[in-house]
């Protein structure tokens, strides 16, 4: 059939799956009824077409519009009289006309086209997205005479699809950003310090907002912003940024000062915010020179509202971050500010720790110096007391005075020792020299150390010991010190003439030493903290017991270092107190017969170097009374001039000599051949562990702490003679 042939009666081809069958010929008398029924069917079909929301259009083989329903009017805006008779290209965009030809060719080949998305033009020029279905129109003989098009407006569907895709993209972007933020946060918290962390924070924010440059600024002590990290700035840009940081622009004062974010999306455009415009106007040219087109400042605010600083970002093109980007920025900066504050607190903590360590070091140095300065006058006092005791042995009155001097000097010596010990013992810096010790021997020496105090207060002490000797693994000197402290405490807080009881016993696997008194007792509220540093019993004007409140804490720490314990109990004020030491029992040591070493009391030549005249001369006098030949000098220079002529068996060198100290003097003296057999002993007021180690490393044979204990000194003299005899040297 020719495309321009006159139209014939039309029919619509059914779907291929539904075969068309010819009805049986109807009888003649039924023709009128059938015609009426066909008319009703056509009217019904026309009503359906006209009432449809979809555009239903029929066109001829030549592409001329043959039918145009109300749906087409609503969709494309053309009235039927405007559209019918016009070419179908009336509603087809020029670039899609070839597509229209291709679709029609497919229809002519018998293909049914459904759900084909394309675009058509409305009368007002709008492009209308449609879903198109195209079917062939057949005449009664089955020939194609045109095409039927059904177009559905899919604008809303496409909008929904676009919205869905956009939503999916946003969700993906959000998920990716959150994942990256989590990675950044992990790296920040694992960073080595504030500087590294700030650089990571800045890099993350630049990536998060697609910025070109950025800087992290923190408030300094005077409230000014200082650049703590930066990325992308050249010298000119840094100069610009520093001008903003120290000037009146928004980065320096306005943004952080107001705790508000400032965004300038185009520095060449109008800045709506009046305050921002006023603050930024003077900096516009500087920003241009730095290659900056858009700016963002955001304050860094801590969890407690404290202003920490600001982040500034720069963009080379006009730009305004989206609300989603700004929300992510705020979320990330919450963690960033927590990190900054934590670093600040850690830095402050380290500073405090350093200050505490420095204060502790200064305290130790002060205590060492104080002990040295206190021991210097103590030494001649003790020496003079010993000299007087020997020279005035026949005078009871003089001996009473000497006893007073001895007791008070001993008390002062104990205070100095406790003062030095408290820091070392409480911090565990004491090195215990453990050995198997008989408990009774340590108790006996502890009693000996307080004998003068007992006599002064006319107190009686009763001692009860187990029948079998008890042994513990302990530092003998420290155990004696603990006993001395407990006994001194009992004596101090018991009235003159009072009673003190000391008991040694075994309980299970522990050795127990119990010291009880009939003294002032301990209040219940005081008992709980009696072993704390500087805690003492109640003081009154008529009962000032003295002491520094450090003896019992030293005992507690020493017992703990030994694996033991100390406890206190009291029935209350005025009812006395009991202190109990417990140490693990050990087996008795295996004894072996050894050659007895008689103490050689042969006189020796002893050379004393001490810049304290009283101390030097009193010690020399005391040694002379013991039968030795002693000579004292007051300086290192005198020592170098006179020692070779004297040729001493033992040389006692003060460490704290002016000019040339004791260490330097020892090195000079050991170079002299005539002094090779001489035993050199350090005598000093410094007794810290570091002092002892340095003295030992310098080459001194022994170390005596002022005031010198005569028994200890005589033991060193005896040992030096034995050593010389073993070496075959005649003294």
């Amino acid at each position: 059939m020719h495309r321009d042939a006159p139209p014939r009666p039309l029919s619509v081809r059914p779907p291929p799956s539904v075969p068309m069958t010819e009805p049986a010929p109807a009888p003649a008398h039924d023709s009128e009824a059938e015609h009426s029924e066909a008319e009703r069917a056509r009217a019904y079909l026309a009503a359906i077409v006209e009432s449809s929301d979809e555009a239903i259009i029929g066109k001829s083989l030549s592409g001329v519009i043959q039918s145009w329903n109300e749906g087409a009017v609503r969709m494309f805006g053309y009235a039927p009289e405007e559209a019918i008779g016009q070419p179908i290209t009336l509603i087809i965009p020029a670039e899609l006309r070839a597509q229209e030809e291709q679709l029609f060719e497919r229809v002519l080949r018998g293909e049914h086209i459904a759900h084909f998305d394309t675009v058509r033009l409305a009368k007002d020029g709008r492009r209308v997205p449609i879903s198109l279905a195209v079917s062939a129109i057949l005449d009664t003989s089955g020939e194609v005479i045109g095409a039927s098009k059904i177009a559905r407006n899919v604008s809303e569907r496409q909008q929904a699809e676009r919205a869905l895709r956009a939503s999916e993209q946003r969700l993906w972007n959000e998920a990716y950003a959150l994942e990256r933020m989590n990675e950044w946060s992990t790296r920040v918290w694992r960073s080595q310090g504030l500087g590294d962390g700030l650089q990571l924070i800045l890099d993350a924010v630049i990536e998060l907002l697609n910025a070109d440059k950025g800087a992290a600024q923190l408030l300094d002590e005077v409230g000014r912003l200082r650049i703590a990290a930066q990325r992308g700035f050249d010298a000119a840009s840094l100069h610009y940024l520093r001008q903003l940081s120290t000037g009146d622009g928004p980065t320096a004062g306005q943004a952080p000062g107001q705790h508000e974010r400032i965004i300038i999306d185009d520095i060449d455009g109008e800045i709506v915010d009046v305050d921002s415009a006023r603050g930024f106007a003077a900096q516009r040219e500087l920003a241009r020179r730095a290659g900056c087109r858009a700016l963002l400042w955001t304050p860094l605010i801590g969890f407690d509202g404290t202003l920490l600083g600001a982040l500034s970002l720069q963009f080379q093109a006009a730009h305004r971050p989206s609300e989603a980007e700004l929300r992510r920025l705020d979320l990330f900066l919450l963690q960033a500010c927590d990190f900054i504050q934590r670093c600040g607190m850690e830095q402050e903590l380290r500073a405090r720790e350093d200050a505490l360590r420095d204060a502790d070091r200064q305290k130790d140095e002060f205590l060492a110096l104080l002990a040295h300065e206190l021991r210097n006058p103590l030494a001649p006092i003790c020496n003079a007391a010993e000299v007087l005791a020997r020279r005035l042995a026949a005078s009871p009155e003089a001996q009473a005075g000497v006893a007073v001097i001895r007791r008070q000097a001993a008390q002062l010596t104990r205070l100095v020792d406790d003062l030095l010990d408290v820091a070392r013992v409480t911090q565990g810096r004491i090195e215990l020299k453990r050995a198997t010790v008989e408990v009774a021997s340590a108790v006996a020496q502890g009693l000996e150390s307080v004998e003068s105090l007992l006599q002064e207060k006319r107190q009686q002490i009763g001692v009860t010991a187990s029948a079998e000797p008890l042994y513990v693994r302990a530092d003998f000197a420290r155990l004696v010190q603990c006993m001395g402290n407990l006994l001194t405490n009992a004596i101090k807080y018991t009235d003159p003439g009072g009673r003190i009881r000391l008991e040694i016993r075994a309980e299970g696997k522990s050795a127990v030493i119990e010291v009880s008194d009939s003294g002032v007792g301990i209040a219940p509220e005081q008992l709980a903290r009696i072993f704390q540093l500087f805690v003492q019993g109640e003081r009154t004007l008529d009962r000032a017991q003295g002491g520094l409140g450090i003896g019992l804490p030293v005992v507690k720490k020493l017992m703990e270092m030994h694996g033991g314990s100390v406890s206190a109990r009291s029935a209350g004020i005025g009812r006395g107190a009991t202190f109990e030491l417990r140490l693990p029992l050990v087996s008795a040591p295996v004894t072996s017969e050894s050659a007895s070493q008689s103490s050689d009391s042969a006189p020796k030549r002893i050379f004393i170097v001490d810049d304290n005249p009283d101390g030097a001369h009193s010690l020399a006098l005391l040694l002379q009374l013991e039968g030795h030949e002693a000579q004292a000098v007051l300086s290192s220079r005198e020592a170098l001039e006179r020692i070779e002529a004297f040729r001493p068996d033992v040389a006692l060198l003060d460490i704290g000599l002016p000019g040339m100290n004791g260490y330097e003097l020892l090195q000079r003296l050991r170079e002299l051949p005539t002094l090779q057999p001489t035993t050199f002993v350090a005598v000093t007021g410094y007794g810290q562990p570091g002092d002892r180690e340095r003295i030992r490393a310098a080459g001194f044979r022994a170390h005596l702490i002022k005031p010198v204990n005569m028994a200890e000194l005589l033991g060193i003299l005896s040992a030096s003679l034995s050593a010389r005899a073993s070496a075959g040297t005649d003294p």
Side-chain angles (χ1 to χ4, degrees):
M1 177 182 288
H2 192 273
R3 290 190 176 187
D4 292 326
R8 298 180 180 181
L10 303 181
S11 67
V12 178
R13 175 186 288 179
S17 58
V18 182
M20 180 179 289
T21 58
E22 292 291 337
H29 64 272
D30 292 334
S31 61
E32 285 189 17
E34 291 174 354
H35 178 74
S36 176
E37 185 66 27
E39 286 296 326
R40 283 196 297 272
R42 281 195 295 270
Y44 185 73
L45 179 61
I48 292 174
V49 170
E50 287 301 312
S51 63
S52 174
D53 287 334
E54 297 170 343
I56 302 176
I57 303 169
K59 76 167 187 174
S60 66
L61 292 176
S62 61
V64 176
I65 298 172
Q66 300 291 312
S67 63
W68 187 269
N69 74 339
E70 284 299 316
V73 174
R74 289 190 294 271
M75 188 175 298
F76 300 113
Y78 292 102
E81 59 271 18
E82 293 177 301
I84 295 174
Q86 297 295 322
I88 195 65
T89 55
L90 175 70
I91 59 172
I92 299 176
E95 72 273 12
L96 296 180
R97 289 175 183 176
Q99 180 192 81
E100 172 68 11
E101 292 291 331
Q102 294 168 2
L103 290 175
F104 193 59
E105 291 295 331
R106 290 168 60 186
V107 170
L108 291 176
R109 291 196 299 269
E111 187 176 344
H112 177 76
I113 297 171
H115 308 300
F116 184 83
D117 288 350
T118 186
V119 176
R120 292 295 180 257
L121 288 175
K123 183 178 180 179
D124 58 6
R126 288 181 297 108
R127 296 173 70 89
V128 181
I130 63 170
S131 177
L132 186 65
V134 185
S135 300
I137 300 176
L138 307 178
D139 62 9
T140 55
S141 63
E143 291 188 34
V144 177
I145 60 174
S148 170
K149 294 187 173 187
I150 302 175
R152 175 177 297 169
N153 190 329
V154 294
S155 298
E156 292 183 0
R157 190 198 75 188
Q158 288 189 352
Q159 289 175 0
E161 289 174 349
R162 284 194 297 270
L164 179 61
R165 286 193 297 270
S167 176
E168 290 174 345
Q169 185 64 42
R170 284 195 302 272
L171 288 174
W172 187 91
N173 291 341
E174 196 74 21
Y176 176 75
L178 290 174
E179 181 181 0
R180 291 290 292 148
M181 287 164 60
N182 183 59
E183 293 174 3
W184 291 323
S185 296
T186 301
R187 292 177 61 192
V188 166
W189 285 103
R190 290 178 178 174
S191 61
Q192 298 301 311
L194 180 60
D196 292 342
L198 279 173
Q199 191 64 54
L200 286 170
I201 291 169
L202 180 61
D203 292 343
V205 171
I206 288 176
E207 181 180 333
L208 190 65
L209 270 70
N210 294 311
D212 297 297
K213 302 175 184 179
Q217 300 160 285
L218 296 181
L219 286 176
D220 61 15
E221 295 80 3
V222 296
R224 306 293 292 181
L225 283 173
R226 294 290 179 258
I227 300 173
Q230 65 91 13
R231 175 176 144 186
F233 288 102
D234 54 20
S237 301
L238 280 175
H239 175 70
Y240 153 71
L241 187 60
R242 289 193 180 98
Q243 282 186 288
L244 289 181
S245 299
T246 56
D248 296 325
T251 51
Q254 194 170 356
Q258 295 181 354
H259 288 50
E260 294 177 358
R261 176 184 292 122
I262 290 182
I263 301 174
I264 301 176
D265 49 17
D266 189 352
I267 64 171
D268 292 329
E270 181 182 359
I271 301 174
V272 178
D273 187 278
V274 176
D275 291 333
S276 298
R278 186 183 303 113
F280 187 72
Q283 311 298 340
R284 193 187 298 266
E285 185 56 34
L286 287 172
R288 287 197 188 99
R289 291 177 186 174
C292 169
R293 184 73 181 272
L295 304 170
L296 180 147
W297 292 275
T298 190
L300 299 173
I301 301 172
F303 65 88
D304 55 354
T306 303
L307 181 64
L308 307 176
L311 272 178
S312 58
L313 299 178
Q314 294 188 8
F315 304 84
Q316 293 178 351
H319 176 73
R320 185 177 187 87
S322 68
E323 290 301 319
E325 288 176 321
L326 294 177
R327 283 195 302 272
R328 290 195 291 267
L329 173 65
D330 290 339
L331 179 62
F332 180 70
L333 289 185
L334 284 175
Q335 296 191 53
C337 290
D338 285 347
F339 170 78
I340 293 170
Q341 283 192 297
R342 189 201 71 174
C343 287
M345 288 186 287
E346 288 179 349
Q347 185 175 3
E348 183 179 355
L349 181 60
R350 284 192 296 269
R352 291 182 179 180
E353 289 176 348
D354 291 342
L356 285 173
R357 278 192 293 268
D358 188 54
D360 187 59
R361 178 185 56 79
Q362 291 178 356
K363 179 260 298 175
D364 288 345
E365 292 175 355
F366 170 75
L367 289 177
L369 180 62
L370 177 64
H372 180 267
E373 294 302 317
L374 289 174
R375 281 171 171 155
N376 269 336
L378 267 176
I381 292 172
C382 293
N383 294 339
E386 294 301 323
V387 171
L388 290 174
R390 285 164 173 75
R391 287 290 180 88
L392 303 173
S395 172
E397 294 84 358
Q399 289 301 316
V402 169
V404 171
I405 296 173
R406 281 175 168 170
R407 285 195 301 270
Q408 297 307 315
Q411 174 68 2
L412 185 55
T413 300
R414 274 194 297 272
L415 289 176
V416 172
D417 290 341
D418 283 348
L419 196 61
L420 285 174
D421 271 347
V422 66
R424 292 181 289 139
V425 172
T426 53
Q427 295 176 19
R429 291 187 291 168
I430 291 291
E431 181 181 351
L432 298 179
K433 299 177 181 178
R434 295 175 183 265
T436 301
V437 173
E438 185 183 1
V439 174
S441 63
V443 171
Q445 192 157 330
L447 284 167
E448 184 181 337
S449 69
V450 298
E451 184 178 355
S452 60
L453 290 175
L454 284 168
Q455 292 175 359
E456 182 182 5
K457 296 193 73 172
R458 305 182 308 281
Q459 293 168 339
Q460 300 295 321
I461 184 165
V463 179
T464 304
S466 63
E468 296 295 326
L470 305 178
Y471 295 92
V472 295
R473 189 75 178 167
D475 184 320
F476 184 82
R478 293 299 176 182
L479 186 53
V480 170
Q481 180 182 359
C482 290
M483 287 306 309
N485 285 0
L486 288 185
L487 289 168
T488 299
N489 187 75
I491 293 167
K492 283 194 326 182
Y493 290 99
T494 301
D495 289 334
R499 299 183 311 279
I500 297 173
R501 183 176 59 83
L502 193 153
E503 182 182 358
I504 304 170
R505 67 179 184 272
E507 283 189 7
K509 296 182 179 180
S510 298
V512 179
I513 307 170
E514 190 173 273
V515 178
S516 302
D517 62 64
S518 60
V520 299
I522 306 171
E525 64 274 11
Q526 193 86 351
L527 197 61
R529 57 191 190 96
I530 195 67
F531 292 103
Q532 294 179 12
L533 200 58
F534 306 124
V535 172
Q536 293 180 294
E538 289 293 328
R539 290 177 176 270
T540 62
L541 292 176
D542 62 344
R543 189 186 297 276
Q545 306 298 342
L548 301 174
I550 58 181
L552 292 180
V554 167
V555 172
K556 182 176 186 295
K557 188 63 180 180
L558 285 174
M559 284 297 99
E560 290 172 351
M561 292 174 67
H562 279 86
S565 64
V566 61
S567 60
R569 61 182 185 272
S570 173
I573 297 296
R575 303 183 67 180
T578 299
F579 288 84
E580 184 180 275
L581 296 183
R582 285 182 176 268
L583 286 168
L585 283 169
V586 298
S587 302
V590 178
T591 58
S592 60
E593 187 176 347
S594 59
S596 62
Q597 296 182 351
S598 60
S599 176
D600 196 323
S601 59
K604 298 174 182 63
R605 293 187 298 274
I606 304 168
F607 193 77
I608 303 166
V609 186
D610 193 333
D611 62 323
N612 185 325
D614 289 339
H617 295 310
S618 62
L619 182 57
L621 180 57
L622 186 57
L623 288 169
Q624 289 166 4
L625 291 174
E626 289 287 336
H628 302 290
E629 184 180 353
Q631 185 177 126
V633 298
L634 305 180
S635 68
S636 296
R637 181 183 58 79
E638 283 186 272
L640 291 170
E641 292 174 353
R642 299 171 59 180
I643 193 169
E644 280 194 286
F646 188 69
R647 296 189 64 186
D649 300 308
V650 177
L652 307 178
L653 308 184
D654 183 20
I655 294 298
L657 293 168
M660 183 188 302
N661 63 37
Y663 298 114
E664 296 167 336
L665 178 59
L666 174 64
Q667 300 308 314
R668 293 284 299 274
L669 295 179
R670 294 183 69 178
E671 294 172 358
L672 302 176
T674 56
L675 299 182
Q676 293 307 309
T678 301
T679 297
F680 291 97
V681 178
V683 180
T684 178
Y686 298 107
Q688 300 278 46
D691 301 321
R692 294 190 180 96
E693 292 170 6
R694 186 179 178 189
I695 286 168
R696 184 166 51 249
F700 284 100
R701 183 71 61 82
H703 174 208
L704 294 173
I705 298 176
K706 297 178 181 179
V708 173
N709 183 294
M710 281 305 297
E712 190 175 356
L713 175 56
L714 293 176
I716 291 172
L717 296 179
S718 178
S720 70
L721 183 63
S722 300
R724 288 168 65 96
S726 301
T729 304
D730 184 5

